[in-house]
Amino acid sequence: VTTTTWDLLVVNAAVATMDPARPGPYGLVSDAAVGVTDARIAWVGPMAEAPRGAGAARIVDAAGALVTPGLVDCHTHLVFGGDRVAEFEARLSGASYEELARRGGGIASTVAATRAAGEDDLLRAATRRAEQLLGDGVTTVEIKSGYGLDLETEVRMLAAARRVGDELPLRICTTFLGAHTVPGEYRGRPDAYVDLVCNDMLPAVAGAGLADAVDAFCERIAFSVEQVRRVFDAARRHGLPVKLHADQLSDGGGAALAASFGAQSADHLEHTSPAGVRALADAGTVAVLLPGATHTLGERARPPVAALRAAGVPIAVSTDANPGTSPLLSIRIAANLACTLLGLTPAEALAGITRTAARALGLTGRTGVVAPGEAADLVVWDAGQPAELVYWIGGRLASTVIVAGDVVRSA
Ligand SMILES: [Zn+2]
């Protein structure tokens, strides 16, 4: 009799594997077990089919509850100095955007506070925010730079972002977003700033291994298609994949631009044209929807979900957690808003915060699906069926969080 011994065995679970190779929108396996060896999933299936005599060093009994892959938040700005609480209060008390700008509000205030903050201060604040995501079942988080806008501060932001992964049991992906906005000292000289991004910042960041990808903001108030193209060419020279804040406030051809570089993702897409949707579909670029910004800004424009769906564009959902336009620290609320505001189905939203979000980070086959060979990133939920995770607006539903086979949170 051969016996199989796992490091960890989850039993009595209703596993929403999110594995497209299994039937149904959630790839659900009832009365299931998940065996973990060497931080990876070794086996998943009905308990009745588990290898005979299988044992484990540690057993987690889900008692019939739902188990999913660890959730993936693929677009955040968690590292920043200060906050924008006073601006939020002033705006809701009737102050105009002009008044707020005159008072030094907006992104410029976050840039000033971030430049003034030390790495440890940035780390401490970002870790507190990331802890909220972890408590909500997130096991992988992407964090962007983009509030430094000078070499030293961009490097400090990315170093702090990486260190969040030392403070908390989270997989961290870092993204260099030097081309977020033109800093005050370069006002009227955006091309000179793009030179700095391409010739100084990007080589330094890539050389130090601080970024896993490069992002930019393509918009009338930020960078043109031509300028973003220069940033993406530089990223390509350094072997880094790209992603893009595209078509958020106007149709600037951002989706097609991202697609033409084979971007991992094009994010926002509120004003993307039918041609942009086709380009994303042809390139296999993930559309990342950020309903927290729609909600916060009270924007009427919506990303073209029906067209994205019809074209077969993979759709992910993220918090866009940032101090100005989406102070959202729950990926499940983002998924709920993606359904209620943008029209996703719960199954699409759940795929969008697991499998497809992992794809947006280049992590396909590594996390985001409960299948053999993937990282053992799992969440046991205080819920019985997958749609519940999207149905409840917030609340503490993650009861046990497992990252790389380690139980890191347990209710
Ligand atoms: Zn963003």
Side-chain angles (χ1 to χ4, degrees), residues 70-209:
L71 306 183
V72 178
D73 196 349
C74 67
H75 179 140
T76 85
H77 306 256
L78 281 186
V79 172
F80 57 86
D83 61 57
R84 305 261 282 276
V85 178
E87 183 181 321
F88 179 74
E89 272 192 302
R91 180 153 52 86
L92 290 169
S93 304
S96 70
Y97 282 99
E98 288 74 14
E99 272 177 75
L100 294 173
R102 266 204 309 280
R103 290 188 210 172
I107 191 169
S109 69
T110 298
V111 172
T114 304
R115 286 177 174 179
E119 187 177 313
D120 287 345
D121 296 328
L122 292 174
L123 172 66
R124 207 168 307 121
T127 300
R128 276 208 318 276
R129 297 167 197 133
E131 170 80 49
Q132 299 285 327
L133 295 175
L134 177 63
D136 197 36
V138 171
T139 56
T140 300
V141 183
E142 184 259 18
I143 304 177
K144 302 175 194 296
S145 68
Y147 296 122
L149 311 179
D150 60 33
L151 173 61
E152 190 199 333
T153 316
E154 288 290 306
V155 164
R156 193 159 72 242
M157 285 186 75
L158 290 169
R162 278 266 194 261
R163 286 174 61 196
V164 172
D166 301 329
E167 299 291 314
L168 294 172
L170 283 169
R171 286 172 204 289
I172 302 293
C173 298
T174 56
T175 300
F176 170 60
L177 178 57
H180 193 189
T181 188
V182 179
E185 63 272 22
Y186 281 88
R187 187 163 298 132
R189 299 184 296 132
D191 282 303
Y193 180 66
V194 173
D195 287 342
L196 180 74
V197 168
C198 295
N199 302 336
D200 294 291
M201 293 187 192
L202 217 156
V205 159

